[in-house]
């Protein structure tokens, strides 16, 4: 029986990865979260390429700023 799980030996179809705003929100906008740190390291070594848009950048910045104001 064939497993649908992806293993480390499964080749990627693309090294380009898009993270929507919801991915950051789901991690509590914690940029030190292990998943984001690991993703960042994979991008820094060229194993993955982070694709983003100005819309996602604005949304994340806006939400982060609002959270910062709410914590004051």
């Amino acid at each position: 029986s064939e497993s649908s799980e992806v293993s480390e030996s499964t080749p990627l179809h693309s090294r380009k990865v898009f993270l929507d705003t919801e991915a950051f929100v789901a991690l509590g906008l914690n940029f030190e979260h292990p998943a984001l740190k690991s993703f960042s390291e994979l991008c820094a070594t060229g194993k993955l390429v982070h694709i983003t848009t100005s819309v996602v950048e604005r949304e994340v910045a806006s939400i982060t700023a609002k959270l910062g104001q709410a914590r004051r």
Side-chain angles (χ1 to χ4, degrees):
S1 74
E2 197 170 314
S3 173
S4 63
E5 290 183 31
V6 176
S7 71
E8 288 185 28
S9 63
T10 302
L12 296 174
H13 293 283
S14 173
R15 299 209 182 288
K16 296 176 183 176
V17 178
F18 173 77
L19 296 179
D20 190 35
T21 304
E22 289 303 314
F24 295 101
V25 171
L27 296 174
L29 294 168
N30 175 7
F31 300 104
E32 296 300 315
H33 189 282
L36 289 178
K37 288 182 87 169
S38 177
F39 177 69
S40 179
E41 290 169 10
L42 289 168
C43 290
T45 60
K47 293 179 180 175
L48 294 176
V49 177
H50 181 207
I51 304 297
T52 192
T53 66
S54 58
V55 172
V56 171
E57 290 175 350
R58 278 194 310 266
E59 288 175 345
V60 170
S62 174
I63 295 167
T64 303
K66 288 176 184 175
L67 285 175
Q69 290 173 356
R71 291 180 180 155
R72 292 182 191 165

